[in-house]
Amino acid sequence: MSQQLIYTSAPRGLKPGTRGFCTVATTPGMPANLADRLESLSGYRHMFAPGDPRNPVNYSFLSIILGGRPCFILSRVADAGLDYTQRTNKLAHHLVLQQKELPPGGPAVLLSQPSLFLTAWEGEPRTIPPKTIPQLGTSPARCAVWEQVTGDAGWGGYLAELAGRSGSTVTVIFQPGMPLLELIAESIALLPPEQKWQTTFSTYFNKLPPGVECRWRCVPVDSAEAQQAARVPGAIVLDIAELKKSGTTPPEDALIEAARTGRLAPVRAPKPPDGVAAVKLADQELEDELRLADEPESTDQSSVAFKTRDGRSSKPLFPAGNHSDQPLLPLEHNSILSPKEQRKPKKKRPIWLYVTGTVVLLIATVAGTFALLHANGLLGLENLLASATPIANTEPTDADKEKLRTIQAAERENARKKAEDDRIAKEREDEENQKQAEQERQEAEAKEKKLKQEDEH
């Protein structure tokens, strides 16, 4: 059963003394460090006025390590109109899944289920029961939404192909109203099961706390994040509107073809070459003896090349032709020996010689050690007893206990003050973000009004 946390602006939070942007609901027994992490993932920036349906919803899948265990976080963060102080509000609903709860279909198909997430908050702060996660599955299909938005369904396969590149981060630039979650769901459906829960994403990316990775980041056009990504050398940026405008097509690949047809090409294991010499171990008593099968002269394994998943030939392990520089097995292991020579066991030395020598060496070592200790007077039992000193009583006194209690009380008070200072600082930061968002909204409206006036003239 997954854990839940709901974060919004309220006159009273679930924790005593909290108000404003705070946690209003969690499942019982949620660890405090997990709750703090989820609160830090609840950021949101309004693109339009509160309540405007054009404000994007941020559907995200992120993963963190907590207590040495991976936690898989599915979140929905969205505009929530105005709060009780008539300022901009947001609603963040987080689900935390464990490894055994992950459905085979991946995170995007789960985020697409409207019954899993709240879209409004009402009532008093309270605890809520865990969620039962439906075990949904997906199968590769033609990327029809990608084709509708970009003009080529292959771009859905291109994004899926980028998921296989280790450490790659992709910035997807969108315009308001684009079906971002559907686009991501189509791409993830093309991935193998083991990769679906390794590809983190956010449909409306905001700044993340340290240690949290997001590989697919959807950012609005003309935003600071989009401009920053364009300035990074070698960054992977997909501008959805520009792709359709330019008519660009992605490079050919198996996943790109699957995105266009809905069918994944089967991955066949390379067929091993015929006539490879097989090496088998002989009798267990003769560990050094190797028996090699005859190898046909017509087969040269070193020049065999295999095809990779995309159909390209890989380089052979050794080039055909001269093999004088290739590593060889030790002489007694080479297949050039005759079968009679290979089966001839090595002559073993009598084992009693090794045992006798080892015992004599051990006796000499022990005798020498005792002689040395006796010469230095270290074997006298009375010396050892005389040198022993009683262990002092280390039980703390009442004064020590009182001092320890005072220190612990001071530490608890300092922790409480720090938590209160952090809460106040967070509220101030949220207020500043709201003011900034309101200013940006006003500037956008003024710009839109100016453009409208210019069009009228």
Side-chain angles (χ1 to χ4, degrees):
M1 305 288 280
S2 66
Q3 301 184 77
Q4 301 186 76
L5 183 142
I6 299 174
Y7 184 88
T8 189
S9 178
R12 185 168 66 89
L14 189 62
K15 298 178 185 177
T18 58
R19 59 182 175 83
F21 284 112
C22 57
T23 296
V24 294
T26 64
T27 48
M30 175 175 287
N33 55 351
L34 176 57
D36 292 340
R37 275 299 188 97
L38 296 178
E39 289 182 354
S40 68
L41 299 176
S42 302
Y44 184 81
R45 185 170 65 240
H46 287 75
M47 287 185 64
F48 302 97
D52 192 322
R54 293 177 297 173
N55 280 310
V57 177
N58 181 22
Y59 292 99
S60 66
F61 160 58
L62 304 169
S63 62
I64 61 173
I65 301 296
L66 207 62
R69 296 182 178 181
C71 294
F72 302 87
I73 303 171
L74 299 175
S75 306
R76 181 189 185 275
V77 187
D79 163 50
L82 299 176
D83 68 355
Y84 67 101
T85 64
Q86 298 303 302
R87 291 182 293 186
T88 55
N89 195 9
K90 61 186 175 184
L91 176 65
H93 189 177
H94 305 283
L95 296 179
V96 183
L97 282 65
Q98 302 302 320
Q99 183 84 41
K100 60 183 180 181
E101 298 178 286
L102 304 181
V109 67
L110 204 55
L111 285 165
S112 303
Q113 306 304 308
S115 60
L116 287 181
F117 297 94
L118 292 179
T119 57
W121 172 255
E122 294 179 352
E124 293 297 314
R126 56 187 181 270
T127 57
I128 52 179
K131 280 276 189 182
T132 301
I133 302 301
Q135 294 300 304
L136 304 173
T138 56
S139 57
R142 186 170 173 274
C143 296
V145 182
W146 276 100
E147 183 178 29
Q148 177 186 352
V149 175
T150 66
D152 187 351
W155 286 111
Y158 180 72
L159 184 60
E161 188 269 333
L162 293 175
R165 302 185 188 181
S166 177
S168 63
T169 299
V170 184
T171 301
V172 180
I173 300 177
F174 69 90
Q175 293 183 348
M178 288 184 172
L180 298 169
L181 184 58
E182 296 178 47
L183 294 172
I184 289 178
E186 286 186 341
S187 294
I188 288 183
L190 298 173
L191 297 175
E194 65 274 9
Q195 262 191 306
K196 290 179 179 178
W197 287 98
Q198 296 175 4
T199 307
T200 53
F201 62 85
S202 171
T203 62
Y204 182 30
F205 178 76
N206 286 281
K207 185 173 68 172
L208 293 174
V212 181
E213 180 190 55
C214 182
R215 298 192 60 187
W216 293 354
R217 306 176 177 187
C218 301
V219 299
V221 64
D222 296 331
S223 64
E225 291 83 1
Q227 295 172 3
Q228 181 181 0
R231 290 194 297 266
V232 176
I236 304 175
V237 179
L238 295 180
D239 189 333
I240 297 179
E242 187 62 29
L243 291 176
K244 186 169 186 178
K245 181 180 178 181
S246 63
T248 309
T249 58
E252 294 301 324
D253 183 84
L255 287 176
I256 294 171
E257 183 63 23
R260 292 170 178 157
T261 63
R263 296 186 301 273
L264 276 173
V267 180
R268 299 179 179 178
K271 183 180 179 181
D274 298 330
V276 178
V279 180
K280 299 180 180 179
L281 290 177
D283 191 359
Q284 291 293 331
E285 296 180 357
L286 304 175
E287 297 180 356
D288 296 329
E289 179 183 2
L290 294 176
R291 184 174 300 164
L292 302 178
D294 294 335
E295 185 177 46
E297 299 178 355
S298 59
T299 301
D300 184 3
Q301 181 191 358
S302 62
S303 62
V304 176
F306 300 97
K307 287 191 174 181
T308 60
R309 177 182 174 182
D310 56 2
R312 295 173 295 183
S313 295
S314 63
K315 294 183 179 179
L317 184 62
F318 297 108
N322 184 16
H323 304 286
S324 59
D325 56 346
Q326 298 177 19
L328 298 176
L329 292 173
L331 182 59
E332 63 270 21
H333 295 168
N334 270 335
S335 59
I336 59 174
L337 296 178
S338 65
K340 182 177 180 181
E341 291 173 321
Q342 293 178 26
R343 290 191 295 269
K344 184 179 180 181
K346 289 184 177 181
K347 185 178 180 181
K348 289 186 175 182
R349 297 179 180 178
I351 193 171
W352 62 268
L353 290 177
Y354 296 101
V355 175
T356 303
T358 302
V359 171
V360 171
L361 180 62
L362 181 61
I363 293 174
T365 303
V366 172
T369 303
F370 270 85
L372 181 62
L373 291 175
H374 184 71
N376 288 277
L378 296 179
L379 289 179
L381 193 59
E382 64 280 0
N383 293 337
L384 294 177
L385 295 175
S387 63
T389 57
I391 300 175
N393 183 15
T394 58
E395 182 178 356
T397 63
D398 292 340
D400 293 334
K401 294 179 180 179
E402 182 63 26
K403 185 176 180 180
L404 179 61
R405 284 194 292 267
T406 303
I407 294 174
Q408 291 175 342
E411 290 177 348
R412 287 194 295 269
E413 180 64 19
N414 291 336
R416 187 191 66 78
K417 290 181 179 180
K418 184 177 183 303
E420 181 65 19
D421 293 341
D422 291 342
R423 183 187 64 79
I424 295 173
K426 192 172 184 180
E427 287 185 0
R428 290 177 179 173
E429 182 181 357
D430 289 337
E431 290 177 359
E432 291 295 328
N433 290 337
Q434 289 178 352
K435 291 179 182 179
Q436 182 180 357
E438 182 66 20
Q439 183 179 356
E440 291 177 354
R441 182 188 64 80
Q442 293 175 358
E443 291 176 356
E445 288 181 352
K447 185 178 179 180
E448 185 177 354
K449 184 177 180 181
K450 183 178 179 181
L451 293 174
K452 186 176 180 181
Q453 290 175 352
E454 292 177 355
D455 293 339
E456 291 176 354
H457 291 300

